[in-house]
Amino acid sequence: DAEITQSPRHKITETGRQVTLACHQTWNHNNMFWYRQDLGHGLRLIHYSYGVQDTNKGEVSDGYSVSRSNTEDLPLTLESAASSQTSVYFCASSGWSRTDTQYFGPGTRLTVL
Amino acid sequence: AQKVTQAQTEISVVEKEDVTLDCVYETRDTTYYLFWYKQPPSGELVFLIRRNSFDEQNEISGRYSWNFQKSTSSFNFTITASQVVDSAVYFCALSAGNAGGTSYGKLTFGQGTILTVHP
């Protein structure tokens, strides 16, 4: 069955380290998204991509970067992790239209000490 | 800018009670899409329903029903005869549909409503 996966599921790192969270989907979806979920803020969009080589900044993009070299993957990189980036991160994907329904991965819980 | 408000932070009911989760949205787009997602205690986000702005028909799926009213900018979710397994955080979300707009295709989430169903 087609699916969307995230790895690792849990990560503890130290302030200042570079961290990369993986997102992989097998639906052949064109659109991919990264969100973070924090208490009191719901889900907020970090970065998104509407196709290979396309990346865009979302609402809370500072300190994060993404690259899209193929259809299946959109890795999220924290260049220099900060304690404020402790959060649960969700990857999502949707079909070909930008307004298609987004389906979410299982999430990655990241703790920055 | 678009906005989704879920005024109920937490709701607690006893099993078999009916419960309605409120969602009010704001958008300037004439075309838009509304969604409900469920986040059970295990943490994943599960898609429940999608409605288009031009389709105000109510939807029923088993014990779940959704009431979409453009006149009040609301998209409320009712669970009939609630069960313990319904305990979760429920998110309402909005996606702008006017191509070229700054919010086109981006999901804006409400803060979520924590539903606890007691046995």
Side-chain angles (χ1 to χ4, degrees):
Chain A
D1 284 345
E3 62 178 354
I4 180 167
T5 58
Q6 294 182 235
S7 62
R9 295 294 312 279
H10 301 271
K11 174 80 175 176
I12 300 174
T13 191
E14 295 178 345
T15 301
R17 289 189 181 268
Q18 184 181 80
V19 176
T20 297
L21 308 182
C23 175
H24 179 80
Q25 53 96 3
T26 58
W27 283 307
N28 198 33
H29 280 170
N30 199 47
N31 310 319
M32 296 184 73
F33 308 83
W34 274 103
Y35 296 86
R36 60 178 289 174
Q37 183 179 18
D38 305 288
L39 277 175
H41 291 281
L43 282 96
R44 293 180 291 174
L45 183 63
I46 305 172
H47 280 286
Y48 58 101
S49 168
Y50 289 140
V52 176
Q53 302 302 331
D54 175 74
T55 61
N56 305 280
K57 294 181 179 180
E59 179 188 357
V60 290
S61 60
D62 287 349
Y64 303 95
S65 64
V66 294
S67 61
R68 186 93 180 269
S69 58
N70 59 51
T71 300
E72 297 80 15
D73 299 291
L74 187 70
L76 177 71
T77 297
L78 287 69
E79 303 294 344
S80 178
S83 57
S84 60
Q85 294 177 309
T86 292
S87 186
V88 180
Y89 291 86
F90 286 97
C91 179
S93 70
S94 67
W96 285 94
S97 168
R98 296 185 182 188
T99 57
D100 280 350
T101 298
Q102 294 183 25
Y103 296 92
F104 286 79
T108 293
R109 184 174 294 276
L110 176 67
T111 302
V112 183
L113 300 176
Chain B
Q2 53 190 33
K3 185 179 178 182
V4 176
T5 301
Q6 295 179 253
Q8 304 149 308
T9 305
E10 291 191 52
I11 300 175
S12 182
V13 299
V14 176
E15 213 170 16
K16 297 185 183 176
E17 282 187 39
D18 298 347
V19 57
T20 295
L21 310 181
D22 297 333
C23 173
V24 174
Y25 62 90
E26 296 175 29
T27 181
R28 292 181 179 177
D29 282 44
T30 53
T31 299
Y32 51 90
Y33 305 89
L34 295 162
F35 304 83
W36 277 94
Y37 288 87
K38 174 182 179 180
Q39 186 174 40
S42 52
E44 71 271 25
L45 279 158
V46 179
F47 164 71
L48 293 178
I49 191 170
R50 167 196 173 102
R51 300 301 288 175
N52 304 329
S53 56
F54 44 86
D55 182 3
E56 283 193 76
Q57 275 193 325
N58 292 330
E59 178 110 1
I60 298 175
S61 176
R63 297 184 296 106
Y64 294 173
S65 61
W66 291 268
N67 182 270
F68 174 29
Q69 291 195 334
K70 287 180 77 169
S71 61
T72 56
S73 297
S74 65
F75 185 44
N76 297 337
F77 174 27
T78 297
I79 301 174
T80 303
S82 61
Q83 299 177 1
V84 172
V85 293
D86 296 326
S87 296
V89 183
Y90 290 87
F91 290 97
C92 181
L94 166 70
S95 175
N98 287 8
T102 56
S103 298
Y104 179 53
K106 298 177 193 173
L107 268 184
T108 298
F109 284 85
Q111 298 296 312
T113 296
I114 302 170
L115 173 65
T116 304
V117 181
H118 299 280

PDB file of all heavy atoms in Angstrom, chain B residues 73-106:
ATOM      1  N   SER B  73     -20.341  31.055   8.128  1.00  0.00           N
ATOM      2  CA  SER B  73     -18.933  30.647   7.998  1.00  0.00           C
ATOM      3  C   SER B  73     -18.590  29.570   9.023  1.00  0.00           C
ATOM      4  O   SER B  73     -17.592  29.667   9.763  1.00  0.00           O
ATOM      5  CB  SER B  73     -18.006  31.851   8.175  1.00  0.00           C
ATOM      6  OG  SER B  73     -18.228  32.805   7.175  1.00  0.00           O
ATOM      7  N   SER B  74     -19.413  28.563   9.076  1.00  0.00           N
ATOM      8  CA  SER B  74     -19.181  27.502  10.057  1.00  0.00           C
ATOM      9  C   SER B  74     -19.178  26.125   9.404  1.00  0.00           C
ATOM     10  O   SER B  74     -19.845  25.904   8.383  1.00  0.00           O
ATOM     11  CB  SER B  74     -20.239  27.557  11.157  1.00  0.00           C
ATOM     12  OG  SER B  74     -21.515  27.285  10.633  1.00  0.00           O
ATOM     13  N   PHE B  75     -18.436  25.234   9.987  1.00  0.00           N
ATOM     14  CA  PHE B  75     -18.336  23.850   9.496  1.00  0.00           C
ATOM     15  C   PHE B  75     -18.228  22.964  10.727  1.00  0.00           C
ATOM     16  O   PHE B  75     -17.159  22.545  11.137  1.00  0.00           O
ATOM     17  CB  PHE B  75     -17.115  23.716   8.589  1.00  0.00           C
ATOM     18  CG  PHE B  75     -16.978  22.365   7.926  1.00  0.00           C
ATOM     19  CD1 PHE B  75     -18.070  21.722   7.364  1.00  0.00           C
ATOM     20  CD2 PHE B  75     -15.741  21.747   7.836  1.00  0.00           C
ATOM     21  CE1 PHE B  75     -17.945  20.492   6.753  1.00  0.00           C
ATOM     22  CE2 PHE B  75     -15.596  20.516   7.217  1.00  0.00           C
ATOM     23  CZ  PHE B  75     -16.691  19.888   6.668  1.00  0.00           C
ATOM     24  N   ASN B  76     -19.375  22.683  11.325  1.00  0.00           N
ATOM     25  CA  ASN B  76     -19.413  21.969  12.600  1.00  0.00           C
ATOM     26  C   ASN B  76     -19.487  20.465  12.413  1.00  0.00           C
ATOM     27  O   ASN B  76     -20.026  19.958  11.430  1.00  0.00           O
ATOM     28  CB  ASN B  76     -20.603  22.450  13.426  1.00  0.00           C
ATOM     29  CG  ASN B  76     -20.485  23.918  13.789  1.00  0.00           C
ATOM     30  OD1 ASN B  76     -19.379  24.475  13.817  1.00  0.00           O
ATOM     31  ND2 ASN B  76     -21.610  24.557  14.048  1.00  0.00           N
ATOM     32  N   PHE B  77     -18.968  19.767  13.383  1.00  0.00           N
ATOM     33  CA  PHE B  77     -18.801  18.311  13.338  1.00  0.00           C
ATOM     34  C   PHE B  77     -19.533  17.703  14.528  1.00  0.00           C
ATOM     35  O   PHE B  77     -19.267  18.071  15.671  1.00  0.00           O
ATOM     36  CB  PHE B  77     -17.297  18.017  13.386  1.00  0.00           C
ATOM     37  CG  PHE B  77     -16.912  16.579  13.484  1.00  0.00           C
ATOM     38  CD1 PHE B  77     -17.714  15.557  12.996  1.00  0.00           C
ATOM     39  CD2 PHE B  77     -15.691  16.229  14.050  1.00  0.00           C
ATOM     40  CE1 PHE B  77     -17.330  14.228  13.084  1.00  0.00           C
ATOM     41  CE2 PHE B  77     -15.286  14.905  14.136  1.00  0.00           C
ATOM     42  CZ  PHE B  77     -16.100  13.911  13.653  1.00  0.00           C
ATOM     43  N   THR B  78     -20.444  16.789  14.245  1.00  0.00           N
ATOM     44  CA  THR B  78     -21.209  16.146  15.311  1.00  0.00           C
ATOM     45  C   THR B  78     -20.917  14.659  15.354  1.00  0.00           C
ATOM     46  O   THR B  78     -20.917  13.997  14.303  1.00  0.00           O
ATOM     47  CB  THR B  78     -22.719  16.379  15.124  1.00  0.00           C
ATOM     48  OG1 THR B  78     -22.994  17.773  15.225  1.00  0.00           O
ATOM     49  CG2 THR B  78     -23.526  15.629  16.190  1.00  0.00           C
ATOM     50  N   ILE B  79     -20.659  14.167  16.543  1.00  0.00           N
ATOM     51  CA  ILE B  79     -20.520  12.730  16.763  1.00  0.00           C
ATOM     52  C   ILE B  79     -21.752  12.281  17.538  1.00  0.00           C
ATOM     53  O   ILE B  79     -22.038  12.791  18.635  1.00  0.00           O
ATOM     54  CB  ILE B  79     -19.239  12.402  17.554  1.00  0.00           C
ATOM     55  CG1 ILE B  79     -18.003  12.908  16.806  1.00  0.00           C
ATOM     56  CG2 ILE B  79     -19.144  10.894  17.796  1.00  0.00           C
ATOM     57  CD1 ILE B  79     -16.702  12.748  17.586  1.00  0.00           C
ATOM     58  N   THR B  80     -22.471  11.354  16.967  1.00  0.00           N
ATOM     59  CA  THR B  80     -23.679  10.819  17.600  1.00  0.00           C
ATOM     60  C   THR B  80     -23.313   9.575  18.392  1.00  0.00           C
ATOM     61  O   THR B  80     -22.509   8.761  17.919  1.00  0.00           O
ATOM     62  CB  THR B  80     -24.729  10.479  16.527  1.00  0.00           C
ATOM     63  OG1 THR B  80     -24.999  11.658  15.767  1.00  0.00           O
ATOM     64  CG2 THR B  80     -26.003   9.968  17.159  1.00  0.00           C
ATOM     65  N   ALA B  81     -23.885   9.458  19.571  1.00  0.00           N
ATOM     66  CA  ALA B  81     -23.638   8.276  20.423  1.00  0.00           C
ATOM     67  C   ALA B  81     -22.139   8.048  20.569  1.00  0.00           C
ATOM     68  O   ALA B  81     -21.596   7.021  20.151  1.00  0.00           O
ATOM     69  CB  ALA B  81     -24.341   7.049  19.859  1.00  0.00           C
ATOM     70  N   SER B  82     -21.470   9.006  21.162  1.00  0.00           N
ATOM     71  CA  SER B  82     -20.009   8.975  21.262  1.00  0.00           C
ATOM     72  C   SER B  82     -19.509   7.702  21.945  1.00  0.00           C
ATOM     73  O   SER B  82     -20.208   7.082  22.773  1.00  0.00           O
ATOM     74  CB  SER B  82     -19.517  10.199  22.020  1.00  0.00           C
ATOM     75  OG  SER B  82     -20.054  10.217  23.333  1.00  0.00           O
ATOM     76  N   GLN B  83     -18.283   7.329  21.576  1.00  0.00           N
ATOM     77  CA  GLN B  83     -17.637   6.148  22.154  1.00  0.00           C
ATOM     78  C   GLN B  83     -16.257   6.547  22.672  1.00  0.00           C
ATOM     79  O   GLN B  83     -15.684   7.552  22.239  1.00  0.00           O
ATOM     80  CB  GLN B  83     -17.502   5.057  21.086  1.00  0.00           C
ATOM     81  CG  GLN B  83     -18.822   4.578  20.518  1.00  0.00           C
ATOM     82  CD  GLN B  83     -18.638   3.558  19.406  1.00  0.00           C
ATOM     83  OE1 GLN B  83     -17.519   3.191  19.053  1.00  0.00           O
ATOM     84  NE2 GLN B  83     -19.747   3.106  18.829  1.00  0.00           N
ATOM     85  N   VAL B  84     -15.724   5.737  23.545  1.00  0.00           N
ATOM     86  CA  VAL B  84     -14.402   6.023  24.121  1.00  0.00           C
ATOM     87  C   VAL B  84     -13.351   6.179  23.019  1.00  0.00           C
ATOM     88  O   VAL B  84     -12.443   7.010  23.111  1.00  0.00           O
ATOM     89  CB  VAL B  84     -14.006   4.926  25.131  1.00  0.00           C
ATOM     90  CG1 VAL B  84     -12.571   5.112  25.586  1.00  0.00           C
ATOM     91  CG2 VAL B  84     -14.955   4.932  26.333  1.00  0.00           C
ATOM     92  N   VAL B  85     -13.496   5.411  21.956  1.00  0.00           N
ATOM     93  CA  VAL B  85     -12.518   5.469  20.853  1.00  0.00           C
ATOM     94  C   VAL B  85     -12.559   6.791  20.108  1.00  0.00           C
ATOM     95  O   VAL B  85     -11.672   7.084  19.304  1.00  0.00           O
ATOM     96  CB  VAL B  85     -12.713   4.322  19.847  1.00  0.00           C
ATOM     97  CG1 VAL B  85     -12.398   2.993  20.481  1.00  0.00           C
ATOM     98  CG2 VAL B  85     -14.119   4.340  19.256  1.00  0.00           C
ATOM     99  N   ASP B  86     -13.591   7.600  20.362  1.00  0.00           N
ATOM    100  CA  ASP B  86     -13.666   8.920  19.734  1.00  0.00           C
ATOM    101  C   ASP B  86     -12.779   9.936  20.452  1.00  0.00           C
ATOM    102  O   ASP B  86     -12.595  11.060  19.969  1.00  0.00           O
ATOM    103  CB  ASP B  86     -15.101   9.431  19.722  1.00  0.00           C
ATOM    104  CG  ASP B  86     -16.030   8.579  18.866  1.00  0.00           C
ATOM    105  OD1 ASP B  86     -15.561   8.058  17.830  1.00  0.00           O
ATOM    106  OD2 ASP B  86     -17.213   8.434  19.239  1.00  0.00           O
ATOM    107  N   SER B  87     -12.258   9.568  21.597  1.00  0.00           N
ATOM    108  CA  SER B  87     -11.391  10.489  22.346  1.00  0.00           C
ATOM    109  C   SER B  87     -10.165  10.823  21.501  1.00  0.00           C
ATOM    110  O   SER B  87      -9.411   9.938  21.083  1.00  0.00           O
ATOM    111  CB  SER B  87     -10.950   9.847  23.665  1.00  0.00           C
ATOM    112  OG  SER B  87     -12.049   9.625  24.513  1.00  0.00           O
ATOM    113  N   ALA B  88      -9.972  12.101  21.257  1.00  0.00           N
ATOM    114  CA  ALA B  88      -8.890  12.551  20.365  1.00  0.00           C
ATOM    115  C   ALA B  88      -8.890  14.070  20.345  1.00  0.00           C
ATOM    116  O   ALA B  88      -9.770  14.719  20.924  1.00  0.00           O
ATOM    117  CB  ALA B  88      -9.110  12.019  18.950  1.00  0.00           C
ATOM    118  N   VAL B  89      -7.896  14.615  19.654  1.00  0.00           N
ATOM    119  CA  VAL B  89      -7.912  16.037  19.321  1.00  0.00           C
ATOM    120  C   VAL B  89      -8.426  16.146  17.891  1.00  0.00           C
ATOM    121  O   VAL B  89      -7.965  15.420  17.005  1.00  0.00           O
ATOM    122  CB  VAL B  89      -6.514  16.676  19.428  1.00  0.00           C
ATOM    123  CG1 VAL B  89      -6.597  18.165  19.141  1.00  0.00           C
ATOM    124  CG2 VAL B  89      -5.905  16.429  20.802  1.00  0.00           C
ATOM    125  N   TYR B  90      -9.386  17.034  17.688  1.00  0.00           N
ATOM    126  CA  TYR B  90      -9.975  17.206  16.371  1.00  0.00           C
ATOM    127  C   TYR B  90      -9.616  18.584  15.839  1.00  0.00           C
ATOM    128  O   TYR B  90      -9.791  19.601  16.523  1.00  0.00           O
ATOM    129  CB  TYR B  90     -11.494  17.042  16.440  1.00  0.00           C
ATOM    130  CG  TYR B  90     -11.906  15.625  16.716  1.00  0.00           C
ATOM    131  CD1 TYR B  90     -12.014  15.150  18.016  1.00  0.00           C
ATOM    132  CD2 TYR B  90     -12.167  14.737  15.671  1.00  0.00           C
ATOM    133  CE1 TYR B  90     -12.376  13.838  18.272  1.00  0.00           C
ATOM    134  CE2 TYR B  90     -12.536  13.423  15.915  1.00  0.00           C
ATOM    135  CZ  TYR B  90     -12.635  12.988  17.222  1.00  0.00           C
ATOM    136  OH  TYR B  90     -12.992  11.678  17.466  1.00  0.00           O
ATOM    137  N   PHE B  91      -9.105  18.595  14.612  1.00  0.00           N
ATOM    138  CA  PHE B  91      -8.690  19.844  13.980  1.00  0.00           C
ATOM    139  C   PHE B  91      -9.581  20.143  12.780  1.00  0.00           C
ATOM    140  O   PHE B  91      -9.826  19.272  11.942  1.00  0.00           O
ATOM    141  CB  PHE B  91      -7.242  19.750  13.487  1.00  0.00           C
ATOM    142  CG  PHE B  91      -6.222  19.718  14.583  1.00  0.00           C
ATOM    143  CD1 PHE B  91      -5.711  18.517  15.031  1.00  0.00           C
ATOM    144  CD2 PHE B  91      -5.772  20.898  15.152  1.00  0.00           C
ATOM    145  CE1 PHE B  91      -4.760  18.477  16.044  1.00  0.00           C
ATOM    146  CE2 PHE B  91      -4.825  20.875  16.164  1.00  0.00           C
ATOM    147  CZ  PHE B  91      -4.326  19.661  16.606  1.00  0.00           C
ATOM    148  N   CYS B  92      -9.991  21.395  12.703  1.00  0.00           N
ATOM    149  CA  CYS B  92     -10.661  21.918  11.527  1.00  0.00           C
ATOM    150  C   CYS B  92      -9.604  22.689  10.729  1.00  0.00           C
ATOM    151  O   CYS B  92      -8.711  23.330  11.330  1.00  0.00           O
ATOM    152  CB  CYS B  92     -11.799  22.845  11.960  1.00  0.00           C
ATOM    153  SG  CYS B  92     -12.758  23.578  10.630  1.00  0.00           S
ATOM    154  N   ALA B  93      -9.658  22.616   9.415  1.00  0.00           N
ATOM    155  CA  ALA B  93      -8.654  23.303   8.599  1.00  0.00           C
ATOM    156  C   ALA B  93      -9.298  23.880   7.341  1.00  0.00           C
ATOM    157  O   ALA B  93     -10.339  23.390   6.879  1.00  0.00           O
ATOM    158  CB  ALA B  93      -7.519  22.353   8.232  1.00  0.00           C
ATOM    159  N   LEU B  94      -8.651  24.891   6.802  1.00  0.00           N
ATOM    160  CA  LEU B  94      -9.167  25.622   5.645  1.00  0.00           C
ATOM    161  C   LEU B  94      -8.066  25.758   4.604  1.00  0.00           C
ATOM    162  O   LEU B  94      -6.916  26.062   4.947  1.00  0.00           O
ATOM    163  CB  LEU B  94      -9.617  27.014   6.098  1.00  0.00           C
ATOM    164  CG  LEU B  94      -9.899  28.087   5.054  1.00  0.00           C
ATOM    165  CD1 LEU B  94     -11.164  27.750   4.270  1.00  0.00           C
ATOM    166  CD2 LEU B  94     -10.051  29.464   5.722  1.00  0.00           C
ATOM    167  N   SER B  95      -8.416  25.555   3.344  1.00  0.00           N
ATOM    168  CA  SER B  95      -7.473  25.739   2.245  1.00  0.00           C
ATOM    169  C   SER B  95      -8.090  26.703   1.239  1.00  0.00           C
ATOM    170  O   SER B  95      -9.212  26.475   0.776  1.00  0.00           O
ATOM    171  CB  SER B  95      -7.165  24.398   1.582  1.00  0.00           C
ATOM    172  OG  SER B  95      -6.349  24.571   0.445  1.00  0.00           O
ATOM    173  N   ALA B  96      -7.373  27.772   0.936  1.00  0.00           N
ATOM    174  CA  ALA B  96      -7.885  28.743  -0.024  1.00  0.00           C
ATOM    175  C   ALA B  96      -7.843  28.150  -1.421  1.00  0.00           C
ATOM    176  O   ALA B  96      -6.912  27.423  -1.774  1.00  0.00           O
ATOM    177  CB  ALA B  96      -7.052  30.022   0.039  1.00  0.00           C
ATOM    178  N   GLY B  97      -8.849  28.491  -2.220  1.00  0.00           N
ATOM    179  CA  GLY B  97      -8.950  27.875  -3.538  1.00  0.00           C
ATOM    180  C   GLY B  97      -8.827  28.811  -4.721  1.00  0.00           C
ATOM    181  O   GLY B  97      -8.903  28.363  -5.867  1.00  0.00           O
ATOM    182  N   ASN B  98      -8.644  30.111  -4.464  1.00  0.00           N
ATOM    183  CA  ASN B  98      -8.508  31.050  -5.584  1.00  0.00           C
ATOM    184  C   ASN B  98      -7.054  31.051  -6.068  1.00  0.00           C
ATOM    185  O   ASN B  98      -6.162  31.503  -5.342  1.00  0.00           O
ATOM    186  CB  ASN B  98      -8.918  32.470  -5.161  1.00  0.00           C
ATOM    187  CG  ASN B  98     -10.422  32.607  -5.003  1.00  0.00           C
ATOM    188  OD1 ASN B  98     -11.152  31.628  -5.067  1.00  0.00           O
ATOM    189  ND2 ASN B  98     -10.873  33.823  -4.800  1.00  0.00           N
ATOM    190  N   ALA B  99      -6.818  30.512  -7.247  1.00  0.00           N
ATOM    191  CA  ALA B  99      -5.457  30.430  -7.769  1.00  0.00           C
ATOM    192  C   ALA B  99      -4.847  31.827  -7.857  1.00  0.00           C
ATOM    193  O   ALA B  99      -5.505  32.773  -8.271  1.00  0.00           O
ATOM    194  CB  ALA B  99      -5.468  29.780  -9.143  1.00  0.00           C
ATOM    195  N   GLY B 100      -3.586  31.922  -7.429  1.00  0.00           N
ATOM    196  CA  GLY B 100      -2.888  33.199  -7.452  1.00  0.00           C
ATOM    197  C   GLY B 100      -2.909  33.921  -6.129  1.00  0.00           C
ATOM    198  O   GLY B 100      -2.104  34.823  -5.900  1.00  0.00           O
ATOM    199  N   GLY B 101      -3.805  33.554  -5.242  1.00  0.00           N
ATOM    200  CA  GLY B 101      -3.851  34.167  -3.918  1.00  0.00           C
ATOM    201  C   GLY B 101      -2.690  33.698  -3.064  1.00  0.00           C
ATOM    202  O   GLY B 101      -2.139  32.618  -3.283  1.00  0.00           O
ATOM    203  N   THR B 102      -2.339  34.484  -2.076  1.00  0.00           N
ATOM    204  CA  THR B 102      -1.175  34.146  -1.245  1.00  0.00           C
ATOM    205  C   THR B 102      -1.404  32.883  -0.413  1.00  0.00           C
ATOM    206  O   THR B 102      -0.455  32.219  -0.027  1.00  0.00           O
ATOM    207  CB  THR B 102      -0.814  35.305  -0.308  1.00  0.00           C
ATOM    208  OG1 THR B 102      -1.962  35.629   0.474  1.00  0.00           O
ATOM    209  CG2 THR B 102      -0.381  36.535  -1.094  1.00  0.00           C
ATOM    210  N   SER B 103      -2.652  32.575  -0.135  1.00  0.00           N
ATOM    211  CA  SER B 103      -2.938  31.396   0.689  1.00  0.00           C
ATOM    212  C   SER B 103      -3.363  30.195  -0.139  1.00  0.00           C
ATOM    213  O   SER B 103      -3.744  29.160   0.412  1.00  0.00           O
ATOM    214  CB  SER B 103      -4.035  31.725   1.707  1.00  0.00           C
ATOM    215  OG  SER B 103      -3.611  32.736   2.585  1.00  0.00           O
ATOM    216  N   TYR B 104      -3.276  30.314  -1.462  1.00  0.00           N
ATOM    217  CA  TYR B 104      -3.760  29.259  -2.358  1.00  0.00           C
ATOM    218  C   TYR B 104      -3.111  27.928  -2.025  1.00  0.00           C
ATOM    219  O   TYR B 104      -1.888  27.795  -2.041  1.00  0.00           O
ATOM    220  CB  TYR B 104      -3.467  29.647  -3.798  1.00  0.00           C
ATOM    221  CG  TYR B 104      -3.904  28.618  -4.829  1.00  0.00           C
ATOM    222  CD1 TYR B 104      -5.207  28.135  -4.847  1.00  0.00           C
ATOM    223  CD2 TYR B 104      -3.011  28.149  -5.776  1.00  0.00           C
ATOM    224  CE1 TYR B 104      -5.604  27.208  -5.791  1.00  0.00           C
ATOM    225  CE2 TYR B 104      -3.406  27.227  -6.730  1.00  0.00           C
ATOM    226  CZ  TYR B 104      -4.694  26.755  -6.732  1.00  0.00           C
ATOM    227  OH  TYR B 104      -5.091  25.838  -7.666  1.00  0.00           O
ATOM    228  N   GLY B 105      -3.934  26.941  -1.724  1.00  0.00           N
ATOM    229  CA  GLY B 105      -3.454  25.593  -1.494  1.00  0.00           C
ATOM    230  C   GLY B 105      -2.839  25.340  -0.131  1.00  0.00           C
ATOM    231  O   GLY B 105      -2.520  24.199   0.192  1.00  0.00           O
ATOM    232  N   LYS B 106      -2.686  26.364   0.690  1.00  0.00           N
ATOM    233  CA  LYS B 106      -2.068  26.161   2.004  1.00  0.00           C
ATOM    234  C   LYS B 106      -3.152  25.880   3.036  1.00  0.00           C
ATOM    235  O   LYS B 106      -4.186  26.520   3.066  1.00  0.00           O
ATOM    236  CB  LYS B 106      -1.281  27.401   2.430  1.00  0.00           C
ATOM    237  CG  LYS B 106      -0.131  27.748   1.528  1.00  0.00           C
ATOM    238  CD  LYS B 106       0.512  29.032   2.015  1.00  0.00           C
ATOM    239  CE  LYS B 106       1.464  29.583   0.978  1.00  0.00           C
ATOM    240  NZ  LYS B 106       1.978  30.914   1.367  1.00  0.00           N
TER     241      LYS B 106
END
